[in-house]
Amino acid sequence: GAPFSQEAEEAVIGSVLIDPSAYVSIAAFLKPDDFFLLRHQYIWQAFTRLNERADPIDLITLAEELENMAVLENIGGRAYLVQLLNNTGTSVYAEVYGRLVERTSIRRKLMITAEEIKKLAMDEALNIDSVIGDAESKLFAVTETQVQRDFVPMWDALSEYYDRMEYMLQNSSDAAGVPTGYRDLDALLGGFQKSDLLIFAGRPGMGKTSWLLTTAMNVARVGGRVAIFTMEMGVEQMVQRMMAMETGINVQKLRLARLNPQEAARFTEAVGRISNHSIFIDDSPAISPMEMRTKCRRLKHEFGLDLVIVDYMQLMNA
């Protein structure tokens, strides 16, 4: 059977009846269709309607609202509402019950999605890439509802804005996009604009990779989140090159770990500085565009994503 917790559903509603102020914080993540039992869906809908009209929530207004919705008898009348109130001892755990209801709701949605994906997989008329794409979209539709953007207090918003302005003023660029940290290039492109596809071409050994890594570091330094797909170099090699660029110590010395005390101190200091950068490196060889998209979506979902670097495209497998 479908997973659900009758006790949690009853307790959430009982908690709101005990303390109506609990409704607003729980309604931020709990919707009527997250309840499994129809009568609870109706009650949560009634709460929503009362709240939208700024009417007080109590037994009387709730019963009236359910009557207006013509479902008061279906849910078990006023007696059921009184029972919910009396059975809930305290509203202290209102949010805990709410999260339980939400979790079982997600499980049910995943089960439904799994059935839909199974149907797609069995339909041999469909091209496998579109099956994977559709399956992924269906799955993201379930998990996407999890990521709720919350209010950003003014001081946080201002502090981020101030940091960005300060950076742009110091670098005297008028970059509206993600700043590359190269003054002339930022003046030319206005930074990397969202949804731009930029291709950097150059003969072998001209320093494309070093250039891309420097750019990634510059972007991360101002708080940008960067994904790097490297199909030629492993993660360790890439980190080594970043460290060489950051410390001015040549790669050969880093590779052999032959550092004098000053270099060792510079190395340690750079590690501390870089480790806070939001750079995510993937060194899967011959990755396909589909896999790349899935990985980027997952990253966007968990941390946010401002720039994707692919080194280099000809090695992709499509």
Side-chain angles (χ1 to χ4, degrees):
F4 81 101
S5 163
Q6 186 168 338
E7 295 82 357
E9 292 193 4
E10 289 170 358
V12 173
I13 293 168
S15 297
V16 172
L17 285 171
I18 293 171
D19 174 17
S21 68
Y23 170 78
V24 179
S25 60
I26 299 171
F29 63 85
L30 208 57
K31 302 288 171 268
D33 68 354
D34 287 326
F35 290 87
F36 181 70
L37 297 171
L38 191 57
R39 59 174 179 264
H40 296 156
Q41 290 186 16
Y42 287 143
I43 294 171
W44 203 255
Q45 252 165 349
F47 281 156
T48 309
R49 287 164 62 146
L50 289 168
N51 184 63
E52 279 168 358
R53 293 202 305 268
D55 286 351
I57 289 177
D58 58 38
L59 278 176
I60 298 163
T61 56
L62 179 60
E64 268 178 25
E65 192 57 42
L66 289 162
E67 195 137 47
N68 294 340
M69 290 162 65
V71 293
L72 183 59
E73 294 318 303
N74 306 28
I75 65 116
R78 285 178 173 76
Y80 182 64
L81 301 179
V82 174
Q83 183 192 324
L84 284 180
L85 179 61
N86 292 340
N87 286 356
T88 309
T90 168
S91 64
V92 174
Y93 306 113
E95 187 162 337
V96 178
Y97 298 134
R99 291 290 176 194
L100 273 172
V101 174
E102 180 195 36
R103 281 209 294 276
T104 52
S105 166
I106 291 164
R107 285 180 190 282
R108 291 195 304 276
K109 286 176 183 160
L110 284 170
M111 285 168 75
I112 293 166
T113 305
E115 280 302 316
E116 291 172 352
I117 291 173
K118 188 175 166 184
K119 279 202 193 83
L120 282 172
M122 290 173 76
D123 185 346
E124 296 195 5
L126 293 175
N127 158 316
I128 192 68
D129 278 344
S130 73
V131 171
I132 294 169
D134 285 356
E136 201 178 84
S137 306
K138 285 180 187 296
L139 202 52
F140 268 94
V142 176
T143 53
E144 208 63 353
T145 55
Q146 286 292 88
V147 184
Q148 296 252 333
R149 286 188 71 85
D150 222 332
F151 287 114
V152 177
M154 192 59 179
W155 57 87
D156 283 354
L158 265 178
S159 115
E160 271 189 35
Y161 175 69
Y162 179 79
D163 291 346
R164 184 161 157 65
M165 281 302 285
E166 194 177 39
Y167 173 83
M168 282 162 73
L169 287 168
Q170 281 170 2
N171 291 271
S172 70
S173 79
D174 48 1
V178 173
T180 65
Y182 290 96
R183 211 165 296 168
D184 293 352
L185 188 71
D186 281 339
L188 194 66
L189 298 175
F192 293 140
Q193 304 296 331
K194 279 202 187 309
S195 80
D196 268 2
L197 170 66
L198 299 166
I199 296 175
F200 293 90
R203 293 193 308 285
M206 299 300 285
K208 292 189 293 293
T209 303
S210 299
W211 187 86
L212 284 170
L213 289 184
T214 308
T215 302
M217 304 277 273
N218 290 342
V219 170
R221 199 169 287 124
V222 294
R225 290 144 308 185
V226 186
I228 301 177
F229 290 92
T230 163
M231 285 161 266
E232 194 179 27
M233 227 183 258
V235 169
E236 193 177 334
Q237 262 180 302
M238 191 151 262
V239 170
Q240 202 165 50
R241 285 188 71 159
M242 284 178 173
M243 288 304 292
M245 282 152 44
E246 194 70 12
T247 56
I249 303 168
N250 77 47
V251 173
Q252 194 56 22
K253 271 187 155 182
L254 287 173
R255 194 172 290 141
L256 302 170
R258 296 219 175 108
L259 307 182
N260 63 37
Q262 287 89 342
E263 288 169 334
R266 213 155 72 216
F267 178 82
T268 308
E269 188 269 332
V271 168
R273 199 171 56 243
I274 297 178
S275 56
N276 296 320
H277 288 359
S278 293
I279 295 179
F280 303 88
I281 306 171
D282 183 301
D283 61 0
S284 318
I287 192 171
S288 74
M290 186 72 81
E291 290 171 289
M292 189 176 285
R293 190 181 68 177
T294 302
K295 288 179 172 185
C296 288
R297 273 182 169 171
R298 201 158 56 220
L299 202 54
K300 171 84 178 154
H301 183 75
E302 288 181 40
F303 301 99
L305 185 56
D306 301 293
L307 177 67
V308 179
I309 292 176
V310 181
D311 184 33
Y312 56 98
M313 217 166 248
Q314 292 91 315
L315 294 175
M316 283 184 80
N317 165 34

